[in-house]
Amino acid sequence: MRELNRIVVVGASLAGLRAIQALRANAFTGDVTLIGAEDHAPYNRPPLSKSVLDGDDDIALPGAEQIDGEWLRGRRATALRTADQLVVLDNGSEIPFDGLVVATGARPRRFATQPTGVHSLRTIDEALALRTELAAAGHLTVIGGGFVGSEVASTARRQGIPVTLIDAGPYPMVATLGSHAARWLARHHERHGVALIAGVRALGFDGASRVTAVRLSDGRRIPTDLVVAGTGVEPNTDWLRESELKLDNGVVCTSSLFAEGQSAIVAAGDVARWAHPLYDGALVRVEHWANANEQGALVARNLLIGADEAQTYAAVPSFATHVHGARIQIAGLPAFADEERVLIDEPADDRLAVAFLARGILVGAVAVNAPKHLIRLKRAISARASSEEVMA
C-alpha cells in the first residue's frame, strides 16, 4: 500500500459514501474530507421516482450518518487545480489532497425555461416537491420514457392520476431495451392507462406563471397542470473544465478507474467513463445504483494500492426497475449489439427475454418477469458467450 495522507472525496452520494467506507475498511488512517453539494446525508436515489412519491421516506443508506472524516455539507467544488493538488470550493476555500475521488454524479437536463409545475427529479427535495403537487394534480405529463419517466408514469397511474407520456423515439427506451422489448413497454404503458405520444419532441411550455400545456414538435399542445421532465442527465464535470483531466461525456478513465494520465485521481459512479474490458476497451458510462455502489468501493482500494497494481473494473452493467407491476431487468449493454434475438415471448404472462449480440458475441440481455433467464444471460455476457452457446 502506498503512503497517502489526505484523501478528498468530491460528491456525497452513494459512490462517495462507499469510497469513504472502503478507505477505512482497508486500514487508511489518514485524513478524509467529503464534499457534498446537498445538506442531506448520502441517500438512496432509486426510490425517489417510486416509493417516495407514494409517501415512503425511507431512503437511508447504511452508515451515511457515521462518516469517518470531515464532512463539508452544502459545499460545491468549483475547480480542480491538478498540479497543486487542490480542490477549490464555492466559498473560495482550497482543500489539499494527495488522493482524490471524483464522484460528482450527474444532473438532469433542463429546458431553457421551466415554469412552475415543471419538475426535474434527481434529489430528495425535488421528489418531495413533486409528491406534494401530485396530491392535487388533475393531469400529469411526463417528458421522456426512460427509467425515471416510466417509473413516475407508473407511480402516478397507481395513484389514479391521468398521465400522458411523450417520448422522442418510436417507443419508450428503445435505445436501452431494443426494438422488441420497447414495443412491449409501449403496449404495457397503454394497457395501464397511459396516453403515449411517441416520435415527437417536447419543445417548451405554455403558461406565464404556471404550466398549462406542453408544446410538441408536430404543432400539438398537450393541456396539463403538472410536468415531469425526464429527458436524461449530464455528468457533473463543469467544475473540471480548467483542470488537466480528460473530459468526454464524463471523466475519461482507464479500466481501473484512474482518470486518464493521473496517478492520484480516480472517478466513480455516474460521472466516470471508463475503458470496459468486456467491450474491447470501449469507453462506457453507466447511470445505475449498482455501478456506483461497486465502483465507489473499488476506486478507494485502487487509490490506496496505486495504478500499477490496481484492479480493473469489468463488472457486467446491471439495471432493474418495476413499471406497472412488471419487473424489467437489463444486463450488459444492448446498445452495442448488431443483432437482437428473442428467447422468450409469452404475452399472456408478460414474460420476455431478449439476447443482444455483436459479431456473434453476447453483449446484452433484457428480461421482463424472467429473472432466472436474466441471471443465466448475465453470466453468459461475462463469459463472452457465442450465439451458439446462448441459443443452446
Side-chain angles (χ1 to χ4, degrees):
M1 184 179 294
R2 62 177 175 166
E3 184 175 349
L4 296 172
N5 297 307
R6 177 158 188 161
I7 295 176
V8 172
V9 179
V10 184
S13 194
L14 177 62
L17 175 64
R18 291 292 181 256
I20 290 179
Q21 291 173 329
L23 287 171
R24 296 310 191 195
N26 284 271
F28 178 70
T29 58
D31 295 333
V32 175
T33 299
L34 175 64
I35 300 166
E38 294 186 64
D39 289 324
H40 304 287
Y43 55 84
N44 214 2
R45 293 188 190 275
L48 298 183
S49 54
K50 301 183 285 289
S51 60
V52 170
L53 298 183
D54 280 328
D56 183 355
D57 293 336
D58 184 9
I59 56 172
L61 288 170
E65 293 288 357
Q66 292 83 40
I67 291 173
D68 187 2
E70 183 183 16
W71 182 5
L72 303 180
R73 295 193 191 210
R75 293 264 71 94
R76 292 182 182 273
T78 57
L80 171 63
R81 289 164 51 186
T82 314
D84 298 325
Q85 293 191 312
L86 292 171
V87 174
V88 182
L89 302 187
D90 53 0
N91 63 357
S93 61
E94 299 176 343
I95 310 297
F97 66 86
D98 52 16
L100 175 65
V101 178
V102 177
T104 43
R107 64 184 182 277
R109 295 190 183 97
R110 299 178 187 272
F111 288 84
T113 302
Q114 292 194 181
T116 301
V118 179
H119 293 255
S120 297
L121 184 54
R122 182 73 179 181
T123 69
I124 180 58
D125 292 335
E126 290 170 336
L128 294 176
L130 176 59
R131 184 170 80 187
T132 298
E133 293 218 35
L134 278 172
H139 180 272
L140 171 67
T141 298
V142 179
I143 302 172
F147 280 101
V148 170
S150 289
E151 289 165 358
V152 170
S154 175
T155 301
R157 287 301 302 136
R158 189 167 59 249
Q159 295 178 5
I161 300 168
V163 175
T164 298
L165 176 61
I166 301 164
D167 195 89
Y171 309 103
M173 295 180 69
V174 67
T176 304
L177 299 179
S179 59
H180 194 86
R183 284 195 297 269
W184 168 86
L185 179 59
R187 296 192 298 270
H188 189 60
H189 274 305
E190 291 175 331
R191 288 199 306 268
H192 285 82
V194 174
L196 178 61
I197 301 175
V200 297
R201 292 180 297 110
L203 300 181
F205 310 99
D206 289 344
S209 60
R210 183 178 178 87
V211 64
T212 58
V214 178
R215 299 195 308 271
L216 303 184
S217 57
D218 62 3
R220 281 182 289 174
R221 281 172 161 76
I222 306 302
T224 193
D225 59 351
L226 185 61
V227 175
V228 172
T231 52
V233 299
E234 298 173 329
N236 283 319
T237 57
D238 288 356
W239 68 287
L240 298 169
R241 285 178 179 172
E242 303 302 320
S243 74
E244 297 176 10
L245 301 193
K246 183 177 180 181
L247 306 177
D248 182 7
N249 186 30
V251 177
V252 177
C253 299
T254 67
S255 60
S256 54
L257 300 172
F258 278 85
E260 191 172 286
Q262 304 294 322
S263 60
I265 302 174
V266 291
D270 293 4
V271 76
R273 189 165 182 239
W274 82 102
H276 201 305
L278 276 179
Y279 297 93
D280 299 321
L283 292 174
V284 302
R285 190 173 66 81
V286 173
E287 302 162 6
H288 197 266
W289 187 95
N291 184 70
N293 185 58
E294 295 167 3
Q295 285 190 347
L298 180 67
V299 296
R301 295 192 296 269
N302 282 351
L303 195 57
L304 294 176
I305 63 178
D308 291 341
E309 300 177 34
Q311 178 184 344
T312 60
Y313 186 73
V316 176
S318 298
F319 311 82
T321 187
H322 283 89
V323 177
H324 308 297
R327 181 157 179 77
I328 303 171
Q329 294 173 283
I330 306 165
L333 297 170
F336 277 45
D338 55 34
E339 183 182 359
E340 181 176 332
R341 294 194 184 182
V342 178
L343 306 180
I344 300 172
D345 188 0
E346 300 174 359
D349 298 320
D350 270 335
R351 291 183 76 241
L352 181 66
V354 184
F356 296 83
L357 302 116
R359 299 180 299 281
I361 301 298
L362 186 68
V363 295
V366 170
V368 177
N369 296 327
K372 292 182 179 179
H373 289 276
L374 194 283
I375 291 171
R376 179 180 72 84
L377 289 168
K378 183 177 178 180
R379 291 172 180 160
I381 294 168
S382 183
R384 294 181 61 84
S386 67
S387 58
E388 290 79 10
E389 293 170 315
V390 172
M391 303 302 292

